[in-house]
């Protein structure tokens, strides 16, 4: 009986990657992280480390000149939370923020809608709205401080010329908040208008063409197409305006010559209170405690804004 011997199966050759292939594979995997790493490295140095270090200082009796005087735990937090000046600064900060943020966003959307129209010299007008943003905040504060001067200001001069009483911009709390909010709106409205303009130009034009064919007016197109399509951008602007508005310092600091927020602290914000504690009373521990409380307030308000605006946007989308 003949026995058939099968030949051994041919081995599949193992493909070995060359150095250049392995380098290319690592390049694809690692390169994206290397490209974004500079931001996180810089953020860790100038953002995260100061935040952690401020938290550590807030737990100590830390003098501006004498340095660390020993661990005190949460004593600095309990002290500032028991101070009426702290809660006065919280109220002033929120008041100025609300008075400035709401009209700022509405005006920015309106300006963006005008810039999105078929205007002549579009680039000139679009660059023009950005000019207030490049003006130094201190310069804005000094200019508007003279405009809102109680005795010799141009605003009160215009009011008295038409028979209206002069407004005590520096003595009345609400009037001082309106004046400071005007400075904030002057600087940031144009900047936010360009953000809304970019979002408006990303809206498909065929939607407007279909609306025109259906006989929709410009106002109807704006309400039914433009505003709903701007919801993600509105969320972004609201959050950034919240973060910036709660940290207002320059405009309120230069609104008078003393820089403490008024004789009765009627426009003293949290950042001015931090400056007073740290550099006026030379107590960096208490100043750091207020800084951390402000950080927590900003995070909470920004999160609330995000969830509320996102919920509104989701409900609008379902409709």
């Amino acid at each position: 009986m003949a026995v058939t011997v099968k030949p051994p199966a041919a081995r599949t050759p193992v493909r070995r990657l060359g150095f250049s292939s392995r380098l290319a594979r690592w390049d694809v995997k690692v390169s994206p992280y290397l490209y974004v790493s500079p931001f996180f490295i810089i953020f860790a140095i100038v953002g995260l480390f100061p935040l952690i270090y401020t938290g550590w200082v807030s737990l100590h009796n830390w003098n501006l000149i004498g340095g660390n005087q020993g661990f005190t735990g949460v004593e600095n937090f309990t002290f500032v939370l028991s101070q009426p000046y702290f809660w006065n600064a919280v109220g002033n900060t929120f008041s100025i923020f609300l008075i400035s943020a709401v009209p700022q966003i509405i005006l920015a959307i309106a300006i963006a809608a005008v810039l999105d129209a078929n205007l002549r010299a579009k680039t000139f007008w679009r660059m023009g709205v950005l000019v207030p943003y490049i003006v130094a905040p201190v310069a804005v504060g000094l200019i508007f401080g003279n405009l809102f001067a109680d005795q010799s200001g141009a605003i009160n001069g215009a009011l008295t010329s038409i028979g209206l009483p002069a407004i005590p911009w520096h003595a009345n709390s609400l009037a001082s908040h309106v004046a400071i909010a005007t400075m904030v709106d002057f600087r940031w409205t144009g900047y936010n208008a360009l953000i809304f303009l970019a979002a408006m130009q990303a809206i498909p034009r065929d939607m407007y063409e279909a609306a025109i064919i259906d006989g929709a007016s410009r106002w109807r197109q704006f309400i039914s197409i433009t505003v709903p399509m701007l919801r993600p951008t509105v969320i972004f602007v609201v959050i950034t305006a919240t973060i910036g508005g709660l940290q207002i310092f320059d405009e309120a600091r230069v609104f008078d010559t003393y820089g403490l927020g008024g004789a009765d602290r009627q426009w003293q914000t949290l950042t001015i209170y931090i400056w007073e504690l740290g550099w006026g009373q030379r107590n960096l521990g208490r100043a750091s405690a207020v800084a951390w409380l402000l950080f927590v307030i900003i995070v909470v308000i920004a999160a609330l804004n995000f969830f509320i605006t996102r919920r509104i946007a989701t409900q609008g989308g379902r409709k």
Side-chain angles (χ1 to χ4, degrees):
M1 179 177 181
V3 178
T4 304
V5 179
K6 293 183 179 179
R11 292 183 178 180
T12 305
V14 178
R15 185 182 178 186
R16 295 180 182 274
L17 292 176
F19 177 75
S20 59
S21 300
R22 281 183 291 179
L23 185 63
R25 181 174 292 183
W26 275 99
D27 180 49
V28 171
K29 291 182 178 179
V30 177
S31 292
Y33 299 101
L34 291 178
Y35 293 145
V36 300
S37 61
F39 166 77
F40 290 99
I41 293 173
I42 295 174
F43 173 74
I45 295 172
V46 303
L48 189 59
F49 172 72
L51 182 66
I52 297 173
Y53 189 72
T54 302
W56 188 69
V57 172
S58 68
L59 300 175
H60 293 75
N61 180 15
W62 200 292
N63 185 271
L64 178 63
I65 298 176
N68 189 1
Q69 305 293 315
F71 182 76
T72 58
V74 295
E75 183 181 331
N76 289 324
F77 289 92
T78 56
F79 176 83
V80 296
L81 287 173
S82 64
Q83 296 301 303
Y85 289 155
F86 171 78
W87 295 107
N88 175 67
V90 171
N92 291 338
T93 302
F94 275 91
S95 175
I96 296 173
F97 161 65
L98 291 175
I99 293 174
S100 63
V102 175
Q104 179 188 138
I105 293 173
I106 295 173
L107 280 174
I109 293 176
I111 293 173
V114 173
L115 293 176
D116 193 38
N118 189 20
L119 296 175
R120 292 184 178 180
K122 289 181 180 178
T123 305
F124 172 78
W125 297 113
R126 291 172 183 176
M127 294 299 293
V129 298
L130 199 59
V131 170
Y133 177 70
I134 62 176
V135 179
V138 175
V140 173
L142 293 174
I143 294 170
F144 278 81
N146 288 321
L147 290 175
F148 286 104
D150 294 336
Q151 301 297 329
S152 57
I155 305 296
N156 275 345
L159 291 175
T160 54
S161 65
I162 58 175
L164 296 175
I167 297 175
W169 297 106
H170 290 76
N172 184 276
S173 296
L174 181 60
S176 63
H177 295 180
V178 171
I180 295 170
T182 304
M183 303 179 204
V184 177
D185 290 344
F186 172 77
R187 285 199 68 230
W188 289 98
T189 301
Y191 176 82
N192 288 328
L194 290 185
I195 295 177
F196 285 123
L197 175 62
M200 286 180 184
Q201 293 186 333
I203 299 174
R205 295 296 163 180
D206 54 355
M207 298 179 69
Y208 292 103
E209 294 172 0
I212 293 172
I213 294 173
D214 291 339
S217 63
R218 285 186 175 275
W219 175 250
R220 188 64 182 173
Q221 295 173 35
F222 179 77
I223 295 297
S224 300
I225 299 176
T226 305
V227 173
M229 297 294 286
L230 286 180
R231 283 191 181 115
T233 308
V234 172
I235 294 173
F236 170 77
V237 172
V238 166
I239 292 174
T240 54
T242 302
I243 296 172
L246 295 179
Q247 299 181 71
I248 182 172
F249 177 79
D250 300 305
E251 293 85 352
R253 175 73 174 79
V254 298
F255 192 52
D256 69 350
T257 56
Y258 301 103
L260 292 177
D264 294 328
R265 301 168 187 261
Q266 56 267 34
W267 68 85
Q268 184 181 60
T269 61
L270 277 171
T271 50
I272 294 180
Y273 187 50
I274 293 172
W275 180 85
E276 181 190 357
L277 288 174
W279 280 261
Q281 302 180 14
R282 300 177 180 178
N283 194 322
L284 291 182
R286 291 173 182 172
S288 300
V290 178
W292 254 92
L293 290 172
L294 175 60
F295 171 73
V296 172
I297 290 172
I298 290 174
V299 170
V300 171
I301 299 300
L304 283 175
N305 276 338
F306 175 75
F307 286 115
I308 291 173
T309 50
R310 188 176 183 182
R311 186 174 180 81
I312 293 173
T314 305
Q315 289 177 346
R318 287 174 182 172
K319 293 176 182 178

